[in-house]
Structures are given as structure tokens and as C-alpha cells.
Amino acid sequence: MPHEQWEIWLDTQISPIIAKWMNEYTGYVVKSSYSLNLHFLKDSEIYYRAKAAGNVILVSKDADFPILITRLGAPPKLINIKIGNCDNRTLWAFLKPNILSAIDICVLSDVEIVELE
């Protein structure tokens, strides 16, 4: 499935600037929860909206999304970030070396959750 058919949605705790940088770096459509107007919703509501949208990869630090996807299935798929609170540059430095391979795993395989630690 070509990558143009997939969108990446960043969870609320990840700054919209990361969406911009990730879009420029990966070539994927990357949207922040703010641009999607999801920042005020519960995780379960975000999950169901992403499921309805189809080929969505959520990027989140939130422990609730792995539980939801394990229990209810994909889509959406998840890149689960295991890093504490940090500034945007530190987060991007953490993500950048591994984000393309994490996305490829989500897009090209049956793996539902990829953890970045």
C-alpha cells in the first residue's frame, strides 16, 4: 500500500511543530491533534475516529493507546514513544533516527504497535 494512503496523527502531548518536522522528513501526511481538533477528546474517542478514518498511525506517549489497540484491534496502528517529558528538539532528535523504520513496520506488516525506547 503506497504511503500516500496513510496518515500519521500525533497525540495531544506532542507539539504541532513535531508534525511539521515529521511531515518534511518522512513525506507522509502528518497531523497534530490540534489541527484535527481532537485535543479535547478522550483517548477512546480519538481511537474510534482514527479507526473510522482507515489507514492511520497514531504517535503517542500515552499508555492508554496500546491498551485500546490490543483490546480492540487495528486500525489505527500505533508508534508508542517511550520517552519522558522533554522539549521539542530533544523529542525530534529521539524520533528522527527511527521514525521511518517504525512507519514502514506499521505500513508494510501486520504489526499493530511499534515501541520506540
Side-chain angles (χ1 to χ4, degrees), residues 14 17-19 21-22 25 61 81-84 86-100 116-117:
I14 301 172
I17 192 66
I18 300 290
W21 294 341
M22 192 180 295
Y25 183 72
K61 296 179 177 184
I81 302 170
K82 303 286 194 146
I83 187 175
C86 58
D87 63 46
N88 292 333
R89 292 195 186 281
T90 302
L91 178 57
W92 182 236
F94 172 81
L95 288 172
K96 190 174 180 182
N98 299 303
I99 196 65
L100 287 171
L116 295 181
E117 324 192 52

Side-chain angles (χ1 to χ4, degrees), residues 11-116:
D11 198 11
T12 303
Q13 76 278 51
I14 301 172
S15 169
I17 192 66
I18 300 290
K20 179 182 182 302
W21 294 341
M22 192 180 295
N23 169 264
E24 291 169 354
Y25 183 72
T26 67
Y28 282 85
V29 174
V30 182
K31 298 178 179 178
S32 75
S33 65
Y34 297 95
S35 67
L36 291 162
N37 206 25
L38 301 176
H39 56 284
F40 59 91
L41 296 178
K42 295 179 185 175
D43 292 338
S44 59
E45 293 176 83
I46 294 169
Y47 167 85
Y48 284 113
R49 289 207 184 176
K51 188 169 201 67
N55 292 332
V56 171
I57 300 168
L58 296 172
V59 178
S60 179
K61 296 179 177 184
D62 195 320
D64 291 337
F65 284 114
I67 295 166
L68 284 166
I69 292 170
T70 299
R71 190 173 48 130
L72 301 172
K77 294 196 175 188
L78 174 68
I79 298 174
N80 192 26
I81 302 170
K82 303 286 194 146
I83 187 175
N85 291 336
C86 58
D87 63 46
N88 292 333
R89 292 195 186 281
T90 302
L91 178 57
W92 182 236
F94 172 81
L95 288 172
K96 190 174 180 182
N98 299 303
I99 196 65
L100 287 171
S101 60
I103 293 167
D104 282 348
I105 291 167
C106 290
V107 170
L108 301 173
S109 77
D110 291 333
V111 173
E112 296 179 346
I113 300 170
V114 175
E115 291 191 350
L116 295 181

